[in-house]
Amino acid sequence: MKNHILLGKLLMNAFKILGKAQNEIENDLKNFKFTKELEIDFKNINFKESFKKNFFTLLIISILLESKISKKHIVSYSKIITYLRQIVTSTDNIIDNEDKGLIFIKSLKNKMVSNSLIMLTCQNFLTKECLELSEGKDIAVKKIFDKIYLIAMSESLRDKSQYLEYPTEKYILEKIHSGIGGELLKISLEAPLVIEENKKLKEYSNGIFEIGMALQALDDFFDIEEDEQSGKINLLRSALLYSEKDEKVVREEYLKKISENAYNGFKILEDNEFPINKKEAKKVLKKLFELRGLKEYVSILD
């Protein structure tokens, strides 16, 4: 019960900080002449709505709070996280010809042009925040873009056409999921890891990496048919291909392994005094399963 109360308070404080960061982002965007053409959809009307749409952003902000970093800095880091989210989403939009995200330009109907401009805008503000936090030093910016390159390299390895044989689970986890899963979630902590030199934050980042790996494996379960149609490598497909077991058994074992890996990530947080235990982690995972259309598999988490 104590963990439940403390975690609830942390997430509520994170929600307030995220709201402040979003207000500052809106003010920053007003400096452009085309500001009237911008449409911002932060989905932050109330805590319940934000919890559903921004859970992992709130978790990262909660980790920053628990690491005892100054709230002024955390607001800036929250802005950086938001810009990173949009940069990644805009990149995906260009690849998939979609129009998702938090920031939109109404007058630009060409999705590639619109997403490219949004990416440049977010990159500009991300760099500005990093430089202000680190008193003009650009090491945090370099670290972030090194990670973006790593993530991009991992994404490029998903193209099935470059392989003579379908990659093994080991290869996919080490070469692909480590980038598009673990590092993709962990990148939200890259700036504070460099600037703050906070020992507890380093431990928390290891847990976030493991959770990111589990999330990507879960996405591969949900997206197996879509990935097959688009020619992308998929972890579950590899598990099914190289196993002699019944497909249903492989799928259930796959999801069980995902949940165990996610629990390991949350356990790292718990071991470093973050107020979350297996019971709370289980609630989070159940919600993720439900949001991804895997409600019938929730019993595997028990």
Side-chain angles (χ1 to χ4, degrees):
M1 181 61 74
K2 184 180 179 182
N3 273 342
H4 178 74
I5 295 172
L6 290 174
L7 181 60
K9 287 182 177 179
L10 260 183
L11 290 171
M12 180 57 74
N13 286 334
F15 168 70
K16 292 175 182 176
I17 287 175
L18 179 59
K20 185 172 182 180
Q22 290 169 340
N23 287 336
E24 289 192 14
I25 289 172
E26 290 192 53
N27 287 330
D28 288 341
L29 291 171
K30 288 178 181 177
N31 292 322
F32 293 109
K33 289 183 178 179
F34 59 87
T35 185
K36 290 182 180 179
E37 297 303 324
L38 291 172
E39 188 175 282
I40 300 171
D41 184 15
F42 284 138
K43 296 182 174 65
N44 210 33
I45 300 168
N46 54 56
F47 177 73
K48 185 177 180 179
E49 182 71 14
S50 186
F51 184 84
K52 288 192 295 183
K53 303 293 184 181
N54 304 303
F55 173 77
F56 284 101
T57 298
L58 295 177
L59 178 62
I60 296 294
I61 297 172
S62 297
I63 283 172
L64 295 173
L65 285 167
E66 191 62 21
S67 300
K68 309 304 179 187
I69 293 170
S70 76
K71 287 190 178 181
K72 182 179 178 181
H73 278 199
I74 295 175
V75 171
S76 289
Y77 292 132
S78 301
K79 293 169 71 174
I80 290 170
I81 292 168
T82 303
Y83 294 134
L84 278 169
R85 279 184 64 184
Q86 185 59 59
I87 288 170
V88 171
T89 302
S90 291
T91 303
D92 287 342
N93 286 343
I94 291 171
I95 294 170
D96 300 327
N97 192 32
E98 293 180 336
D99 197 23
K100 299 177 181 178
L102 307 169
I103 303 169
F104 306 89
I105 304 176
K106 294 179 289 185
S107 58
L108 296 179
K109 304 306 178 185
N110 185 305
K111 293 175 184 177
M112 182 176 290
V113 173
S114 176
N115 280 291
S116 297
L117 180 54
I118 291 169
M119 284 175 64
L120 288 170
T121 302
C122 289
Q123 179 188 331
N124 173 62
F125 283 122
L126 182 152
T127 301
K128 177 175 173 288
E129 290 293 330
C130 286
L131 291 175
E132 288 180 356
L133 282 163
S134 54
E135 298 177 344
K137 297 176 183 178
D138 65 352
I139 186 169
V141 178
K142 288 178 179 177
K143 284 282 187 179
I144 287 174
F145 280 91
D146 279 343
K147 291 295 184 181
I148 289 176
Y149 172 80
L150 189 155
I151 293 165
M153 179 61 72
S154 298
E155 180 65 38
S156 71
L157 292 175
R158 296 188 77 192
D159 184 357
K160 190 170 63 174
S161 66
Q162 63 191 295
Y163 301 98
L164 295 176
E165 295 183 350
Y166 208 93
T168 63
E169 290 179 80
K170 184 176 185 296
Y171 177 91
I172 296 170
L173 288 169
E174 291 178 358
K175 301 294 185 180
I176 299 177
H177 279 209
S178 61
I180 65 172
E183 293 294 351
L184 184 59
L185 192 59
K186 184 184 167 187
I187 197 173
S188 293
L189 290 173
E190 204 61 39
L193 279 169
V194 172
I195 296 167
E196 302 295 334
E197 297 183 351
N198 185 297
K199 186 177 179 181
K200 181 178 274 192
L201 192 59
K202 290 179 181 178
E203 295 296 332
Y204 285 152
S205 71
N206 294 328
I208 288 299
F209 181 90
E210 294 301 324
I211 294 168
M213 292 290 285
L215 287 176
Q216 183 55 49
L218 183 59
D219 282 346
D220 275 25
F221 185 98
F222 188 69
D223 296 336
I224 184 169
E225 299 303 330
E226 181 182 329
D227 286 345
E228 186 67 20
Q229 291 172 10
S230 58
K232 292 181 180 179
I233 294 297
N234 182 284
L235 185 65
L236 176 58
R237 180 68 68 191
S238 181
L240 291 168
L241 184 63
Y242 291 110
S243 176
E244 297 180 356
K245 297 179 181 178
D246 179 76
E247 180 176 337
K248 184 178 179 182
V249 172
V250 174
R251 286 175 175 267
E252 289 181 352
E253 288 180 350
Y254 180 94
L255 285 175
K256 193 169 184 63
K257 190 174 182 179
I258 288 174
S259 63
E260 289 172 357
N261 291 343
Y263 285 140
N264 288 339
F266 283 114
K267 186 67 167 58
I268 293 172
L269 301 186
E270 182 185 7
D271 288 345
N272 288 278
E273 301 177 336
F274 190 81
I276 193 166
N277 53 29
K278 191 168 184 177
K279 184 179 179 181
E280 296 300 323
K282 183 177 176 181
K283 290 179 181 177
V284 172
L285 292 177
K286 280 188 172 183
K287 180 58 68 176
L288 287 173
F289 271 46
E290 290 170 3
L291 289 174
R292 283 164 168 75
L294 302 172
K295 195 171 183 179
E296 67 270 27
Y297 291 100
V298 163
S299 60
I300 288 173
L301 299 173
D302 295 326

